[in-house]
Every structure is written in C-alpha cells, then in structure tokens.
Amino acid sequence: MVLHWLIALAVLAQIGFGWYLQQVPRRTPERTIYVNYHKSTGMLIGLLILLRIAWRLKHRPPALPASMPTWERRAARANHVLLYACMIIMPLAGYTASNFSKFGVKFFNAVLLPPWGVDDRSIYAFFNGLHIATSYVFVALITLHLLAAMKHAIFPHHRILRRMLPL
Ligand code: HEM
Ligand code: HEM
C-alpha cells in the first residue's frame, strides 16, 4: 500500500514534469537544468518501482472478490499488468536514451554520470520515441484505473478502494 501510493504520487508528478518540459525552449541552459532534474527524479522513481516489483513478487495481494463480475476482474488484472509494464518501460527507455547521447545524465545537476553508450542520434531517437509514446499509453491506463477506482468508491459493493487504504 505504501509503495502503491508513493509511486502513484511520484509518477503523476513526473508525468506533469514531463509535460512541463515541452514548454521549456530547446537549446537553452534552463532546458538542460530542467531535463537533468527530470532524468534524476525519474531514475529514483525507477529504483522505487524495482523495489515495488521485488516486493510484489514475494507478496501476493488478496484475490479480487468473487462478487465482482468475471470481466471486471479480468480487466483489472490486465490493466495492472500493463501498468507494471509502463512502470518498467518509462524509466528504462528514458535512461537508455540518455546513455546514447553525449549529454548522459547530470544527476541533480551536480554529478555527471558518463554515458555508457555511443553518441548515436538514431538509437537516442528510438528510445526517446518509446519514452514519449509509452507516456500516452500510461496516461490512458492510469485514467482507466482512476475511473475504475472512482466507480468502486461510488458503488462500494466490493470494498476495493477500502482494502487499498490502511483502515
Ligand atoms: C491516484 C489515484 C489512484 C487510485 C485511487 C488507485 C487505486 C487503486 C486501488 C483501489 C487498487 C487496489 C485494487 C485491488 O485491491 O486489487 C490499486 C491497485 C493498483 N494500482 Fe492504483 N490507484 C491510483 C493510482 C495509481 C497509479 C498512478 C498507478 C501507476 C503508477 C497505479 C498502479 C496500480 C497497480 C499496478 C495496482 C495493482 C497492484 C497489484 O495487484 O500488484 N495506481 N490502485
Ligand atoms: C517513471 C519515470 C518517468 C516518467 C513517468 C516520465 C514521463 C515523461 C513524460 C510524460 C514526458 C513528456 C513526453 C512528451 O513529450 O509528450 C517525458 C519527457 C522526457 N523524459 Fe521522462 N519520465 C520518466 C523517467 C525519465 C528518465 C529516467 C529519463 C532519463 C534518464 C527521462 C528523460 C526524459 C527526457 C529527456 C524527456 C524529453 C523528451 C523530448 O522532449 O525529446 N525520463 N518524460
């Protein structure tokens, strides 16, 4: 529960940060600073996500209530699997792209992490494109997830939202 809510907040903020980056003019010193902050927070969130996945592999959540229609249980499970996939792809694609550019990552604008890849525009463009494309899929899945959570809050027959809260 703690990891779910921590990562939910962090990911939503990071998506907002990514959208904000689009407004920052390219090839300016400010953009370098903001992009490096985004890369640094993104890498920390990536580590938190790894911790969550390691925890999740050892701890099965309780089964969804049998009172839920089968299609809802299947849809929830599929949505969760895809959310985990996005949680892995987002930081990994961003991090990999950065390492195929001569800029690498300047961690919190303080420590330069030298890139381990070659400076190659097309490899960079592939992983950066994957990062951007996945962000749209991620936002769609999160929206669906939120709508489902709200539906369960309004019609709380299955107590799904309650069991995700330490009550
Ligand atoms: C901020 C609004 C959010 C709400 C109200 C919410 C609500 C919930 C609830 C109620 C569950 C529990 C379902 C169950 O009991 O089986 C859940 C599970 C889950 N949520 Fe969220 N969530 C939110 C944001 C997010 C975000 C942003 C992500 C993605 C980063 C996310 C990823 C997941 C995943 C992957 C699960 C499945 C956990 C598992 O079975 O391993 N949630 N969420
Ligand atoms: C959970 C982690 C992350 C999330 C949710 C996230 C989300 C986003 C979003 C929503 C955008 C804007 C996409 C658009 O232009 O429409 C973006 C852009 C960007 N992200 Fe991330 N990001 C994450 C991690 C990272 C990491 C770890 C790096 C690199 C180490 C990174 C590097 C970048 C860069 C360079 C851009 C600008 C791309 C461009 O405009 O060409 N991100 N990110």
Side-chain angles (χ1 to χ4, degrees):
M1 275 186 225
V2 170
L3 285 170
H4 170 272
W5 293 114
L6 207 62
I7 291 170
L9 273 181
V11 162
L12 290 174
Q14 183 75 357
I15 291 172
F17 195 173
W19 286 344
Y20 176 73
L21 279 185
Q22 292 173 310
Q23 326 279 317
V24 183
R26 289 179 187 268
R27 279 178 274 280
T28 59
E30 294 86 74
R31 183 161 174 99
T32 308
I33 292 171
Y34 282 117
V35 166
N36 275 306
Y37 275 130
H38 176 85
K39 290 177 177 178
S40 311
T41 49
M43 284 164 63
L44 292 182
I45 299 170
L47 290 179
L48 211 56
I49 288 168
L50 283 184
L51 179 70
R52 177 176 182 181
I53 291 171
W55 172 273
R56 176 64 172 83
L57 290 174
K58 293 215 171 100
H59 300 80
R60 254 176 183 277
L64 290 169
S67 59
M68 261 170 89
T70 313
W71 76 265
E72 261 190 16
R73 276 183 281 155
R74 283 203 186 128
R77 212 162 295 127
N79 186 266
H80 293 163
V81 170
L82 293 172
L83 282 170
Y84 278 117
C86 288
M87 280 191 263
I88 296 169
I89 295 170
M90 281 308 289
L92 201 61
Y95 176 71
T96 310
S98 299
N99 279 283
F100 286 99
S101 138
K102 62 177 183 296
F103 299 113
V105 177
K106 201 165 179 196
F107 200 64
F108 286 98
N109 288 294
V111 185
L112 180 69
L113 308 176
W116 42 256
V118 290
D119 184 22
D120 185 315
R121 291 306 300 168
S122 56
I123 303 179
Y124 174 83
F126 172 78
F127 285 104
N128 190 45
L130 182 63
H131 190 68
I132 294 172
T134 308
S135 75
Y136 294 113
V137 179
F138 206 7
V139 169
L141 292 170
I142 292 172
T143 308
L144 209 62
H145 183 66
L146 279 182
L147 289 175
M150 274 163 62
K151 183 247 178 201
H152 287 293
I154 298 166
F155 306 104
H157 314 299
H158 314 299
R159 303 171 69 83
I160 288 295
L161 195 57
R162 274 305 273 290
R163 71 183 205 166
M164 205 53 177
L165 301 170
L167 299 172

